């Protein structure tokens, strides 16, 4: 199958995503990224759809989704429309966990603020 006209090299994708070329190769090998198209010389060429998926996978990673769950989600994604309900359930569960984590971080931030206020008060009184 011919590649779309506008594709990017692995170096260009690394620059756009902030991932190293080695990480991009690892993500492909680990099944987090679908097999990437190749040029006639065998070099990886990333299409816009590849970049869209990489961006979303990075969001999953940045929100704390485990590699195993990311692999499961990518596998379901490759399964097409028949896996929509499972993917939705995974995303809902992950969102709920993220919401709990945010709530915990906010509580921890308030505790730190209280301690900062305490120490500032001690310095003002001395």
């Amino acid at each position: 199958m011919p590649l779309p006209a506008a594709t990017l090299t692995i170096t260009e994708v690394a620059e756009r995503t902030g991932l190293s070329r080695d990480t991009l190769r690892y993500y492909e090998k680990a099944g987090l990224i679908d097999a990437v198209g190749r040029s006639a010389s065998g070099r990886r060429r990333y299409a816009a759809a590849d970049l869209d998926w990489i961006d979303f996978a990075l969001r999953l990673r940045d929100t704390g989704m485990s590699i195993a769950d990311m692999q499961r989600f990518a596998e379901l994604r490759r399964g097409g429309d028949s896996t929509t309900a499972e993917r939705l359930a995974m995303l809902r569960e992950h969102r709920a966990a993220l919401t709990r984590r945010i709530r915990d971080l906010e509580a921890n931030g308030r505790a730190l603020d209280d301690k900062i206020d305490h120490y500032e008060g001690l310095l003002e009184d001395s």
Side-chain angles (χ1 to χ4, degrees), residues 6-46:
T7 60
L8 299 173
T9 66
I10 194 168
T11 300
E12 292 168 325
V13 172
E15 289 170 0
R16 285 187 181 204
T17 63
L19 297 172
S20 70
R21 294 183 317 222
D22 287 339
T23 299
L24 287 164
R25 288 184 198 104
Y26 166 76
Y27 278 12
E28 187 177 347
K29 185 176 180 178
L32 294 172
I33 300 173
D34 292 342
V36 176
R38 302 285 181 138
S39 68
S41 63
R43 297 190 181 270
R44 286 174 175 83
R45 297 298 299 188
Y46 293 80

